[in-house]
Amino acid sequence: MPDWLLSVPAFIVAIGLLVAVHEYGHFWVARRMGVRVLRYSIGFGAKLWGRTSSRSGTEYWLSAIPLGGYVKMLDEREGPVPDADKPYAFNRQSVGKRMAIVAAGPAVNFAFAIVAYWLVFMLGVAGIKPVIGDVPEDTRAAAAGLSEGQHIVAVAGRETPTWQDLRLTLIEQALAGGEVPLSVTDGEGGDAREVRLDMTGVSADPERLFGELGLAPYRPDGTPVIAEALSGEPADAAGLRAGDKVLAAGGEPMRDPQALVDWVKAHPGETVSLRIRRDGREREVRVSLDAMTVDGERVGRLGAQLGIDSDEWAALQTERRLGPLAAVPAALEQTWSVSALTVRLMGRMLVGDVSWKNISGPIQIANYAGKTASVGLEAFIGFLALVSVSLAVLNLLPVPVLDGGHLLYYAIELVRGRPLSEEAQAMGQQLGMVALLLLMSLAFYNDILRLLS
């Protein structure tokens, strides 16, 4: 099945749900504050479906462009309002009420993330144990005394049950800098000892951090297995199918999936021979590899998703599952950690310490949505939690046209005792729109580059 057949509906479900949650925050608080809501729309543009409440008169819309949504409230700035209805207009409310209505959207996104992480921890978080792979000489990891096969069980006193936990924690520590204590064992269940990893001046960029430290996950030997031959790609055209074990390529034994990936990349556009095992029998398969350009280099492409056949790999898999009560503080901590890390990484982007290539747009989000949906329910819920946090943080930025920009205007109004002039607010909105368009353009540019590579 082509990836987009899952990515597109998963993306629509994810964005639709998260936008609905965000806008419902504005909607619910506005109603509680006595403001009349004229329309609650999921999506922008033309109405695809809608109904009007006979009791409140609110229109509920499902609109054509599924990249956002809005709540339209009664407001004298947007049109004439009858005298009898003026007490229900948004602009007639106190500054405190207006701030509460605006802040409710991001607040509900944070609440959604907490609930989502709570569900994930109860369903079970699958991952790979934080076992270190080969440690190159003259790296910070080597200087700390780390070596292949060791388990990093905690960083600065914070447990790291999976490689993903280790990754997020080290990114946080890179932002702080300095020496970081690691608790390591020489094998699972062994006695822990402390080593100190020097992270002074190391890049916090997720794309560069682990290379600079000299850390990578442990990769045991294991025969690469075709998990899926993508439709229309060289693997599919050659007759490869799910479950085929790739024993050798061009006569060279393949010790693990990465070895096969590296070998394929080194033979762009060539017709090669793969030795596979299928249903207990070995055979040779001829494959005409595609060629593509990545970072200016011509590389080969097989067009298959790979798995691995290895008991040792299976032993590296782990799962963290918590009860309903224990999952509550874990969900709160995870939401806080992801939120704080997002803010700090954004700050580092502004000063150039973190690459702008880390910004993703709708195409990459759809890609992640499809991949997590294909893995399972808990992975997709975890993805929703992460995007919900990102949506909340982004909306709280003090940029006009975003919720944070409106909150900034209201904060100035509180200090001055009167609002900014309409001209100043309009100019701020225009600047905010330009900034948002530039950010969206950058996100699309990054997405396209990822597609081409």
Side-chain angles (χ1 to χ4, degrees), residues 109-354:
N109 277 126
F110 284 126
F112 177 90
I114 293 169
V115 173
Y117 280 129
W118 177 73
L119 285 172
V120 167
F121 284 123
M122 288 198 301
L123 291 170
V125 181
I128 299 297
K129 297 174 183 176
V131 181
I132 306 171
D134 180 54
V135 179
E137 296 180 3
D138 300 325
T139 61
R140 295 173 186 254
L146 297 172
S147 59
E148 184 175 9
Q150 290 181 329
H151 294 229
I152 301 178
V153 296
V155 175
R158 181 176 174 182
E159 292 185 358
T160 53
T162 68
W163 188 266
Q164 180 65 8
D165 292 316
L166 174 65
R167 176 181 173 82
L168 291 176
T169 306
L170 284 179
I171 292 172
E172 291 176 2
Q173 294 298 324
L175 290 166
E179 280 196 342
V180 180
L182 309 183
S183 295
V184 302
T185 64
D186 292 326
E188 190 171 8
D191 293 333
R193 59 186 177 86
E194 183 178 293
V195 301
R196 302 193 72 83
L197 180 63
D198 183 12
M199 301 187 72
T200 305
V202 74
S203 171
D205 192 326
E207 293 187 348
R208 296 160 48 195
L209 172 61
F210 286 82
E212 290 187 14
L213 293 177
L215 289 175
Y218 176 64
R219 286 171 40 202
D221 289 348
T223 304
V225 177
I226 302 296
E228 180 185 1
L230 304 180
S231 178
E233 298 285 352
D236 179 49
L240 292 174
R241 64 192 192 202
D244 289 344
K245 300 177 182 179
V246 183
L247 307 178
E252 298 180 24
M254 294 291 106
R255 61 180 292 267
D256 58 29
Q258 189 60 48
L260 178 58
V261 170
D262 294 340
W263 191 92
V264 167
K265 285 183 175 180
H267 296 80
E270 298 181 18
T271 299
V272 300
S273 176
L274 301 183
R275 186 160 190 78
I276 69 168
R277 182 182 292 125
R278 178 186 298 168
D279 300 328
R281 300 177 59 185
E282 295 186 12
R283 65 183 71 186
E284 296 286 335
V285 176
R286 303 286 291 175
V287 184
S288 297
L289 300 176
D290 278 347
M292 60 182 184
T293 301
V294 179
D295 296 331
E297 180 183 0
R298 193 165 178 265
V299 297
R301 174 179 169 83
L302 178 61
Q305 294 181 359
L306 300 179
I308 193 166
D309 180 32
S310 169
D311 292 337
E312 198 173 354
W313 267 106
L316 283 175
Q317 298 178 12
T318 187
E319 183 180 73
R320 183 187 182 193
R321 191 187 298 269
L322 301 174
L325 293 179
V328 173
L332 289 168
E333 181 185 2
Q334 184 75 0
T335 302
W336 169 257
S337 295
V338 172
S339 302
L341 182 59
T342 301
V343 172
R344 295 171 75 183
L345 286 175
M346 283 182 176
R348 290 299 182 93
M349 282 185 188
L350 292 176
V351 298
D353 289 344
V354 173

Side-chain angles (χ1 to χ4, degrees), residues 5 67 188 248 325 384 429:
L5 285 179
L67 294 177
E188 190 171 8
L325 293 179
L384 291 177
Q429 296 279 45

Side-chain angles (χ1 to χ4, degrees), residues 45-113:
K47 178 178 70 173
L48 297 179
W49 171 89
R51 73 175 184 86
T52 302
S53 171
S54 58
R55 187 175 65 176
S56 65
T58 301
E59 298 177 328
Y60 296 91
W61 280 20
L62 185 64
S63 301
I65 305 173
L67 294 177
Y70 62 93
V71 170
K72 182 178 180 181
M73 290 172 275
L74 188 68
D75 196 315
E76 292 176 280
R77 296 168 299 181
E78 297 184 7
V81 175
D83 289 341
D85 291 338
K86 286 181 179 179
Y88 310 111
F90 176 80
N91 65 289
R92 290 289 182 112
Q93 308 307 309
S94 67
V95 177
K97 286 186 176 182
R98 280 179 278 146
M99 293 182 80
I101 293 169
V102 171
V108 172
N109 277 126
F110 284 126
F112 177 90

Side-chain angles (χ1 to χ4, degrees), residues 95 98 409-421 425:
V95 177
R98 280 179 278 146
Y409 283 161
Y410 300 148
I412 293 173
E413 183 177 344
L414 274 177
V415 173
R416 298 177 74 234
R418 65 184 188 280
L420 290 172
S421 67
Q425 292 189 47

